[in-house]
Amino acid sequence: MFQIKANRQAAGLACVALFVGYANLPLRSQQPASPPPAGRGPAPAPAATDNRADAAQLDTWMKTLSNWGRWGASDELGAANLITPQKRKAAAALVRTGVSISLARQLRILSGATDNPFTMQATTNAGGFASDRIEMAFHGVQITHMDALCHFSYNGKTYNGFAFEDVVTKDGGCSKLSIGNMKDRLVTRGILIDIPRLKGLPYLEPGTHVYREDLEAWEKRAGVKIGPGDAILLRTGRWARDEKLGVSRTPSGFDLSAVPFFKDRDVAIIGSDWTQDVGTVQGALYAVHRFSIVALGMTLLDNLDLEGLAARAADMNRWEFLLMASPASASNGTGAPISPVAVF
């Protein structure tokens, strides 16, 4: 059973609280973070850099690169339309070894922690079974989750021009563009973009921007070409760095100037081990989120655990795979926790 309440803010961001009461909800364990490549010590970290695009450029791109109307005036799927049956068949053909890897962070239960986004209460009884009550605020920087298209707006509009005030209500959640639309959509080719490996580093330093030339350089290094319907997963090495140096609250991610790449290649999904955005674009909070969700209609995957995937991909020198993920099918949710799986 799900109980959903939406929180609307002036910035146009909507969140939900989910209360889950299933006895058999799985908590997936994670593979340990991969070490730096053999024979290579930690390299000097690159200096954090600034955004190459500003709010005025974002405003232009929101109009000139928009997918609004591309699949009809009533469309609620956005870039997920690019994941066709043919695309899924091609992605399935990438499976050769049958090795599967979870990309979800393990949910950590911290009893009594007031700032913990996840709590669980387990009960048992004489009948010999156990049950849970789980409460989580998954929009944030810890829990692996999928963002719905009603999660953000720009100038009062959501994807495809729907009015944010009409789409999201406090008690009703999302009447359009909800996460329920993605319940069986995300089966496609995933491509890992390992920027630390590209730069010869175990991880990126907090605040590092990833530019379009980095994405194109990785394509050449990995021997892949990003194309329509793909899901691209950006590894910054966040979790490996946290394990070694302690938790950082300063994200690395896509520079705003890189977002035309998503449109040019018709990317369907973007994901990262952070939350995509890096730095602050003056006058445009969460600029990458806003462009991707509102202009392109792209579903985002935040807080992925890409360490095990990166280690396995490097061992096999294979950077493309079948990617599958399904959200809890809340018909009016702004997103949902997920446990994505990559299959080689």
Side-chain angles (χ1 to χ4, degrees), residues 192-330:
L192 178 65
I193 301 174
D194 193 339
I195 299 301
R197 186 170 296 275
L198 175 69
K199 296 179 179 295
L201 300 168
Y203 42 74
L204 301 182
E205 285 302 310
T208 302
H209 292 229
V210 175
Y211 300 106
R212 179 171 184 148
E213 60 261 33
D214 295 320
L215 305 179
E216 293 171 341
W218 177 254
E219 285 183 309
K220 293 179 181 178
R221 163 75 182 272
V224 296
K225 180 77 171 180
I226 296 167
D230 283 339
I232 60 174
L233 309 182
L234 172 66
R235 176 179 176 260
T236 72
R238 170 195 184 179
W239 306 115
R241 186 186 186 282
D242 281 3
E243 183 175 322
K244 182 176 182 180
L245 300 177
V247 174
S248 170
R249 297 185 181 276
T250 303
S252 298
F254 294 107
D255 187 82
L256 178 59
S257 65
V259 298
F261 180 90
F262 305 153
K263 172 69 172 184
D264 293 346
R265 299 299 184 85
D266 261 344
V267 173
I269 306 285
I270 61 171
S272 176
D273 50 11
W274 263 110
T275 53
Q276 325 301 334
D277 285 87
V278 58
T280 300
V281 177
Q282 190 70 25
L285 187 64
Y286 302 114
V288 173
H289 256 73
R290 217 169 288 277
F291 174 81
S292 302
I293 292 175
V294 181
L296 297 186
M298 285 204 307
T299 300
L300 308 190
L301 311 181
D302 293 339
N303 308 319
L304 298 170
D305 189 338
L306 301 176
E307 295 308 300
L309 176 65
R312 183 56 63 97
D315 285 345
M316 297 189 294
N317 194 29
R318 289 184 58 195
W319 308 98
E320 57 180 348
F321 41 85
L322 173 65
L323 177 67
M324 299 179 290
S326 181
S329 185

Side-chain angles (χ1 to χ4, degrees), residues 8-321:
R8 298 191 305 185
Q9 300 176 359
L13 176 153
C15 303
V16 296
L18 285 155
F19 299 90
V20 187
Y22 294 115
N24 59 350
L25 181 69
L27 302 181
R28 291 182 178 269
S29 60
Q30 303 301 303
Q31 297 192 22
S34 57
R40 180 185 296 160
T49 49
D50 294 329
N51 279 295
R52 294 180 181 173
D54 58 16
Q57 183 65 76
L58 173 64
D59 192 62
T60 298
W61 285 336
M62 291 294 294
K63 302 178 181 72
T64 60
L65 302 180
S66 171
N67 278 332
W68 291 12
R70 180 176 177 180
W71 296 285
S74 61
D75 176 61
E76 296 184 41
L77 290 177
N81 282 290
L82 297 165
I83 306 176
T84 63
Q86 292 74 25
K87 183 68 180 182
R88 294 189 183 98
K89 288 175 63 177
L94 294 173
V95 177
R96 302 172 193 168
T97 66
V99 172
S100 60
I101 301 171
S102 172
L103 312 184
R105 289 291 293 168
Q106 184 173 0
L107 299 177
R108 300 184 184 279
I109 302 168
L110 300 174
S111 300
T114 58
D115 62 345
N116 186 45
F118 169 77
T119 58
M120 175 176 132
Q121 179 180 356
T123 59
T124 60
N125 65 26
F129 67 90
S131 63
D132 305 333
R133 177 181 175 86
I134 295 177
E135 177 180 344
M136 63 179 71
F138 56 84
H139 284 301
V141 297
Q142 292 295 325
I143 295 175
T144 304
H145 67 273
M146 179 187 295
D147 288 341
L149 300 188
C150 60
H151 183 40
F152 269 92
S153 69
Y154 185 79
N155 290 340
K157 300 290 186 180
T158 62
Y159 165 72
N160 223 12
F162 301 117
F164 182 70
E165 294 292 327
D166 294 337
V167 168
V168 183
T169 61
K170 180 178 180 180
D171 294 323
C174 299
S175 61
K176 296 180 183 294
L177 307 174
S178 82
I179 199 63
N181 293 329
M182 290 297 295
K183 64 181 181 181
D184 54 4
R185 294 288 172 172
L186 209 172
V187 180
T188 190
R189 181 175 75 150
I191 296 176
L192 178 65
I193 301 174
D194 193 339
I195 299 301
R197 186 170 296 275
L198 175 69
K199 296 179 179 295
L201 300 168
Y203 42 74
L204 301 182
E205 285 302 310
T208 302
H209 292 229
V210 175
Y211 300 106
R212 179 171 184 148
E213 60 261 33
D214 295 320
L215 305 179
E216 293 171 341
W218 177 254
E219 285 183 309
K220 293 179 181 178
R221 163 75 182 272
V224 296
K225 180 77 171 180
I226 296 167
D230 283 339
I232 60 174
L233 309 182
L234 172 66
R235 176 179 176 260
T236 72
R238 170 195 184 179
W239 306 115
R241 186 186 186 282
D242 281 3
E243 183 175 322
K244 182 176 182 180
L245 300 177
V247 174
S248 170
R249 297 185 181 276
T250 303
S252 298
F254 294 107
D255 187 82
L256 178 59
S257 65
V259 298
F261 180 90
F262 305 153
K263 172 69 172 184
D264 293 346
R265 299 299 184 85
D266 261 344
V267 173
I269 306 285
I270 61 171
S272 176
D273 50 11
W274 263 110
T275 53
Q276 325 301 334
D277 285 87
V278 58
T280 300
V281 177
Q282 190 70 25
L285 187 64
Y286 302 114
V288 173
H289 256 73
R290 217 169 288 277
F291 174 81
S292 302
I293 292 175
V294 181
L296 297 186
M298 285 204 307
T299 300
L300 308 190
L301 311 181
D302 293 339
N303 308 319
L304 298 170
D305 189 338
L306 301 176
E307 295 308 300
L309 176 65
R312 183 56 63 97
D315 285 345
M316 297 189 294
N317 194 29
R318 289 184 58 195
W319 308 98
E320 57 180 348
F321 41 85

